[in-house]
PDB file of all heavy atoms in Angstrom:
ATOM      1  N   GLU A  84     -31.689  -6.184  80.690  1.00 85.00           N
ATOM      2  CA  GLU A  84     -30.914  -7.282  80.023  1.00 85.00           C
ATOM      3  C   GLU A  84     -31.271  -8.586  80.676  1.00 85.00           C
ATOM      4  O   GLU A  84     -31.286  -8.773  81.888  1.00 85.00           O
ATOM      5  CB  GLU A  84     -29.416  -7.005  80.163  1.00 85.00           C
ATOM      6  CG  GLU A  84     -28.545  -8.096  79.509  1.00 85.00           C
ATOM      7  CD  GLU A  84     -27.053  -7.778  79.719  1.00 85.00           C
ATOM      8  OE1 GLU A  84     -26.687  -6.609  79.679  1.00 85.00           O
ATOM      9  OE2 GLU A  84     -26.298  -8.726  79.912  1.00 85.00           O
ATOM     10  N   VAL A  85     -31.556  -9.564  79.835  1.00 87.00           N
ATOM     11  CA  VAL A  85     -31.839 -10.934  80.351  1.00 87.00           C
ATOM     12  C   VAL A  85     -30.699 -11.818  79.908  1.00 87.00           C
ATOM     13  O   VAL A  85     -30.533 -12.155  78.721  1.00 87.00           O
ATOM     14  CB  VAL A  85     -33.154 -11.493  79.789  1.00 87.00           C
ATOM     15  CG1 VAL A  85     -33.438 -12.905  80.313  1.00 87.00           C
ATOM     16  CG2 VAL A  85     -34.321 -10.588  80.142  1.00 87.00           C
ATOM     17  N   THR A  86     -29.887 -12.238  80.869  1.00 88.00           N
ATOM     18  CA  THR A  86     -28.742 -13.139  80.550  1.00 88.00           C
ATOM     19  C   THR A  86     -29.225 -14.636  80.486  1.00 88.00           C
ATOM     20  O   THR A  86     -30.331 -14.916  80.833  1.00 88.00           O
ATOM     21  CB  THR A  86     -27.624 -13.013  81.616  1.00 88.00           C
ATOM     22  OG1 THR A  86     -28.194 -13.476  82.845  1.00 88.00           O
ATOM     23  CG2 THR A  86     -27.192 -11.549  81.767  1.00 88.00           C
ATOM     24  N   GLU A  87     -28.309 -15.484  80.076  1.00 89.00           N
ATOM     25  CA  GLU A  87     -28.613 -16.904  80.070  1.00 89.00           C
ATOM     26  C   GLU A  87     -28.980 -17.432  81.400  1.00 89.00           C
ATOM     27  O   GLU A  87     -29.902 -18.266  81.529  1.00 89.00           O
ATOM     28  CB  GLU A  87     -27.314 -17.667  79.535  1.00 89.00           C
ATOM     29  CG  GLU A  87     -26.983 -17.366  78.089  1.00 89.00           C
ATOM     30  CD  GLU A  87     -26.143 -16.135  77.946  1.00 89.00           C
ATOM     31  OE1 GLU A  87     -25.906 -15.413  78.935  1.00 89.00           O
ATOM     32  OE2 GLU A  87     -25.581 -15.955  76.809  1.00 89.00           O
ATOM     33  N   ALA A  88     -28.262 -16.927  82.454  1.00 90.00           N
ATOM     34  CA  ALA A  88     -28.583 -17.409  83.795  1.00 90.00           C
ATOM     35  C   ALA A  88     -29.983 -16.988  84.274  1.00 90.00           C
ATOM     36  O   ALA A  88     -30.696 -17.743  84.900  1.00 90.00           O
ATOM     37  CB  ALA A  88     -27.526 -16.946  84.820  1.00 90.00           C
ATOM     38  N   GLU A  89     -30.331 -15.709  83.956  1.00 91.00           N
ATOM     39  CA  GLU A  89     -31.628 -15.282  84.375  1.00 91.00           C
ATOM     40  C   GLU A  89     -32.764 -15.955  83.585  1.00 91.00           C
ATOM     41  O   GLU A  89     -33.841 -16.254  84.127  1.00 91.00           O
ATOM     42  CB  GLU A  89     -31.739 -13.721  84.077  1.00 91.00           C
ATOM     43  CG  GLU A  89     -30.924 -12.931  85.054  1.00 91.00           C
ATOM     44  CD  GLU A  89     -30.782 -11.482  84.661  1.00 91.00           C
ATOM     45  OE1 GLU A  89     -30.999 -11.232  83.476  1.00 91.00           O
ATOM     46  OE2 GLU A  89     -30.451 -10.597  85.520  1.00 91.00           O
ATOM     47  N   PHE A  90     -32.470 -16.268  82.319  1.00 90.00           N
ATOM     48  CA  PHE A  90     -33.434 -17.035  81.492  1.00 90.00           C
ATOM     49  C   PHE A  90     -33.655 -18.454  82.153  1.00 90.00           C
ATOM     50  O   PHE A  90     -34.800 -18.872  82.300  1.00 90.00           O
ATOM     51  CB  PHE A  90     -32.852 -17.163  80.050  1.00 90.00           C
ATOM     52  CG  PHE A  90     -33.655 -18.062  79.180  1.00 90.00           C
ATOM     53  CD1 PHE A  90     -34.954 -17.749  78.785  1.00 90.00           C
ATOM     54  CD2 PHE A  90     -33.082 -19.273  78.704  1.00 90.00           C
ATOM     55  CE1 PHE A  90     -35.679 -18.611  77.951  1.00 90.00           C
ATOM     56  CE2 PHE A  90     -33.800 -20.093  77.851  1.00 90.00           C
ATOM     57  CZ  PHE A  90     -35.099 -19.776  77.512  1.00 90.00           C
ATOM     58  N   GLU A  91     -32.559 -19.075  82.516  1.00 91.00           N
ATOM     59  CA  GLU A  91     -32.686 -20.414  83.086  1.00 91.00           C
ATOM     60  C   GLU A  91     -33.484 -20.352  84.425  1.00 91.00           C
ATOM     61  O   GLU A  91     -34.303 -21.137  84.728  1.00 91.00           O
ATOM     62  CB  GLU A  91     -31.299 -20.972  83.308  1.00 91.00           C
ATOM     63  CG  GLU A  91     -31.315 -22.348  84.001  1.00 91.00           C
ATOM     64  CD  GLU A  91     -29.914 -22.882  84.267  1.00 91.00           C
ATOM     65  OE1 GLU A  91     -28.974 -22.060  84.374  1.00 91.00           O
ATOM     66  OE2 GLU A  91     -29.774 -24.088  84.448  1.00 91.00           O
ATOM     67  N   ARG A 129     -19.175 -13.300  76.059  1.00 87.00           N
ATOM     68  CA  ARG A 129     -19.934 -13.993  77.150  1.00 87.00           C
ATOM     69  C   ARG A 129     -19.594 -15.461  77.158  1.00 87.00           C
ATOM     70  O   ARG A 129     -20.317 -16.232  77.831  1.00 87.00           O
ATOM     71  CB  ARG A 129     -21.421 -13.765  76.905  1.00 87.00           C
ATOM     72  CG  ARG A 129     -21.928 -12.336  76.991  1.00 87.00           C
ATOM     73  CD  ARG A 129     -22.897 -12.155  78.118  1.00 87.00           C
ATOM     74  NE  ARG A 129     -24.168 -12.795  77.896  1.00 87.00           N
ATOM     75  CZ  ARG A 129     -25.323 -12.209  77.604  1.00 87.00           C
ATOM     76  NH1 ARG A 129     -25.309 -10.910  77.298  1.00 87.00           N
ATOM     77  NH2 ARG A 129     -26.444 -12.862  77.473  1.00 87.00           N
ATOM     78  N   TYR A 157     -30.284 -18.893  73.240  1.00 91.00           N
ATOM     79  CA  TYR A 157     -30.683 -19.331  74.572  1.00 91.00           C
ATOM     80  C   TYR A 157     -31.474 -20.680  74.377  1.00 91.00           C
ATOM     81  O   TYR A 157     -32.427 -20.653  73.545  1.00 91.00           O
ATOM     82  CB  TYR A 157     -31.513 -18.341  75.323  1.00 91.00           C
ATOM     83  CG  TYR A 157     -30.796 -17.065  75.788  1.00 91.00           C
ATOM     84  CD1 TYR A 157     -29.488 -16.839  75.527  1.00 91.00           C
ATOM     85  CD2 TYR A 157     -31.498 -16.167  76.565  1.00 91.00           C
ATOM     86  CE1 TYR A 157     -28.838 -15.653  75.961  1.00 91.00           C
ATOM     87  CE2 TYR A 157     -30.886 -15.015  76.985  1.00 91.00           C
ATOM     88  CZ  TYR A 157     -29.591 -14.771  76.663  1.00 91.00           C
ATOM     89  OH  TYR A 157     -28.954 -13.622  77.124  1.00 91.00           O
ATOM     90  N   LEU A 221     -31.372  -9.275  75.156  1.00 81.00           N
ATOM     91  CA  LEU A 221     -30.463 -10.329  75.527  1.00 81.00           C
ATOM     92  C   LEU A 221     -29.100  -9.838  75.918  1.00 81.00           C
ATOM     93  O   LEU A 221     -28.263 -10.580  76.445  1.00 81.00           O
ATOM     94  CB  LEU A 221     -30.322 -11.318  74.365  1.00 81.00           C
ATOM     95  CG  LEU A 221     -31.445 -12.333  74.103  1.00 81.00           C
ATOM     96  CD1 LEU A 221     -32.699 -11.663  73.635  1.00 81.00           C
ATOM     97  CD2 LEU A 221     -31.011 -13.381  73.136  1.00 81.00           C
TER      98      LEU A 221
END
Side-chain angles (χ1 to χ4, degrees):
E84 179 181 323
V85 180
T86 64
E87 294 85 350
E89 290 170 339
F90 172 66
E91 180 183 21
R129 296 242 295 254
Y157 289 3
L221 282 68

